Amino acid sequence: MSKVLVVDDEPALARALAINLRAHGWEVVTAADGRSALDAAATERPDVVVLDLGLPDLDGTEVIAGLRGWSSVPIVVLSARQHGEDKVDALDLGADDYVTKPFAMNELMARLRAAVRRGQVAAPEEAVVTVGSLEIDLARKRVAREGVDVRLTPTEWAFLELLARNLGRLVTREQILREVWGPAYEHETHYLRVYAAQLRRKLEDDPAHPRHLITSAGLGYTLEAG
Amino acid sequence: MSKVLVVDDEPALARALAINLRAHGWEVVTAADGRSALDAAATERPDVVVLDLGLPDLDGTEVIAGLRGWSSVPIVVLSARQHGEDKVDALDLGADDYVTKPFAMNELMARLRAAVRRGQVAAPEEAVVTVGSLEIDLARKRVAREGVDVRLTPTEWAFLELLARNLGRLVTREQILREVWGPAYEHETHYLRVYAAQLRRKLEDDPAHPRHLITSAGLGYTLEAG
DNA sequence: CACCGTCTTGACGGTTCCTTGACGGCGGGC
DNA sequence: GCCCGCCGTCAAGGAACCGTCAAGACGGTG
């Protein structure tokens, strides 16, 4: 769970933010002015800071500068001002993102997630899905079974990749056909059978009794996690 | 083409909205009160909802809360009230954006587009409905009873999904038949009995005395929350 | 042009699922 | 008590779907 520090002097807005963020799984700490914001940032070590400009004591830019003196925590600035002038200021000083009021809660949430993601330096995005003895490397577009590479055709790979990106989730026939063959093929279910069989022959220990690539008759296919 | 659900009890405004939206390429569904809004959202699966506060039956906030129980569809609230009080309420409950009347059609349109865009980027959003020892995962299309997966046929799943999306609310026979079998089957009530029985056999501890899938004779079925 | 890997298409047998009918239980109205 | 409507149960037949094999079509490459 990520921790967010909300810095805002309007109690109503601060409360609304806190409630929404908590509902979405964030741990929330609040501060109502610039000085306590700096204190809270030092003691709580949040993963990201939401900073409303126009605080009673310090100018928002001072808060950013103060934080940047010792921390590289991502900062998302919140502002009522419409024009770009202080946007440039804030970004210059080291803010990471900028949202003008009124804003949509989802947008803020998305920007926070993005900010945290960017903030995590150690994120080379190791996109490898492991399923039993299968290793599916989404970045390199490779599959290995018990350590040895398996050669897949482009269509086989597209099929498998789609299932792997939805690991453990049922992917409907229509979705597979749309994604792999294109929107016009939405009803060509024959392809599914041919390619499911082909993947099983290459990837399953016992293709006749698949343990990974599971069929749900009339619905679609699932790449089973366990 | 994106689909929008317009919830407004003033016919004139609802019509004006529908016409304008359709002219801009939206697919439009309308509802005039809170209850039918929830029904329509469950059956139509809009990409975004425009919700006018001040409905005859339910408070707008109740509608938001009801929707948020199972859906993460973006909601844009429409309100005549000028001051911020219920704005905060609406956002607290999970609305995504807020437009005060009178508004420019262009502005609403832009906010809808933005809401849809954000909705698509947003997280996969765990949508799991828990009923007793049942876990119904709407995103993965899976049901587990006491932790173990239960295999459902496509029709069984469609039936259960509809009830789960209307958790605790009675779903009429007509609505189920229309949704699961199609508009032409609105009077084939035999199907309901067969499939209700089948679901109970798979999901209930004692199929003869169901505690979750409840019949209301002559009316329809309810998936009981407790 | 011939070769090769890949994609498409067809046919067939086995399985799952849907549909349909028949029957019994339950409860309300008369 | 009897009738009637509605619900729940079971089972059978047929339709839809799946897995499999293999032959042809297609598109690059040498």
Side-chain angles (χ1 to χ4, degrees), chain B residues 78-90:
Chain B
L78 217 59
S79 169
R81 311 173 204 179
Q82 294 287 2
H83 297 303
E85 191 49 46
D86 58 348
K87 168 170 185 172
V88 174
D89 281 348

Side-chain angles (χ1 to χ4, degrees), chain A residues 151-156 181 185 188 190-191 194-195 217:
Chain A
R151 280 181 47 87
L152 294 187
T153 72
T155 308
E156 286 164 3
W181 281 271
Y185 291 72
E188 304 286 329
H190 197 142
Y191 289 134
V194 173
Y195 276 87

Side-chain angles (χ1 to χ4, degrees), chain A residues 34-45:
Chain A
R35 197 156 301 281
S36 53
L38 291 173
D39 287 342
T43 56
E44 297 285 349
R45 302 302 189 89

Side-chain angles (χ1 to χ4, degrees), chain A residues 7-217:
Chain A
V7 187
D8 201 323
D9 60 327
E10 300 174 48
L13 185 51
R15 237 190 68 246
L17 279 170
I19 291 174
N20 267 287
L21 288 167
R22 291 209 179 90
H24 285 76
W26 294 81
E27 187 177 342
V28 180
V29 182
T30 60
D33 60 68
R35 197 156 301 281
S36 53
L38 291 173
D39 287 342
T43 56
E44 297 285 349
R45 302 302 189 89
D47 300 297
V48 59
V49 176
V50 177
L51 174 63
D52 194 353
L53 296 186
L55 297 173
D57 55 343
L58 304 177
D59 188 330
T61 55
E62 296 181 68
V63 178
I64 297 175
L67 273 170
R68 279 291 171 267
W70 57 270
S71 167
S72 63
V73 61
I75 302 173
V76 176
V77 163
L78 216 60
S79 167
R81 311 176 202 179
Q82 296 285 2
H83 297 302
E85 191 51 44
D86 57 350
K87 169 171 186 172
V88 174
D89 282 348
L91 293 182
D92 274 356
L93 278 166
D96 294 75
D97 208 343
Y98 195 96
V99 179
T100 52
K101 293 189 277 192
F103 58 90
M105 200 52 80
N106 267 2
E107 178 181 358
L108 179 62
M109 221 78 77
R111 286 178 189 269
L112 288 183
R113 280 195 300 269
V116 170
R117 217 177 311 127
R118 283 195 301 269
Q120 284 165 356
V121 189
E125 193 65 33
E126 194 69 32
V128 178
V129 175
T130 305
V131 178
S133 62
L134 253 43
E135 289 166 32
I136 305 167
D137 190 326
L138 296 173
R140 295 164 205 258
K141 298 189 187 298
R142 302 178 83 167
V143 203
R145 181 176 157 218
E146 286 162 10
V148 304
D149 266 31
V150 178
R151 280 181 47 87
L152 294 187
T153 72
T155 308
E156 286 164 3
W157 171 255
F159 194 149
L160 180 65
E161 182 184 20
L162 179 59
L163 293 181
R165 289 191 190 279
N166 290 279
L167 186 64
R169 206 173 308 150
L170 176 69
V171 187
T172 66
R173 305 189 296 180
E174 289 72 21
Q175 190 180 347
I176 299 170
L177 289 165
R178 242 182 293 129
E179 301 264 330
V180 177
W181 281 271
Y185 291 72
E186 214 170 296
H187 304 289
E188 304 286 329
T189 62
H190 197 142
Y191 289 134
L192 299 176
R193 301 200 289 282
V194 173
Y195 276 87
Q198 233 150 41
L199 281 174
R200 283 181 184 134
R201 194 151 6 102
K202 292 186 175 181
L203 302 178
E204 295 273 2
D205 292 334
D206 179 3
H209 302 97
R211 294 176 45 234
H212 304 318
L213 207 175
I214 306 301
T215 303
S216 295

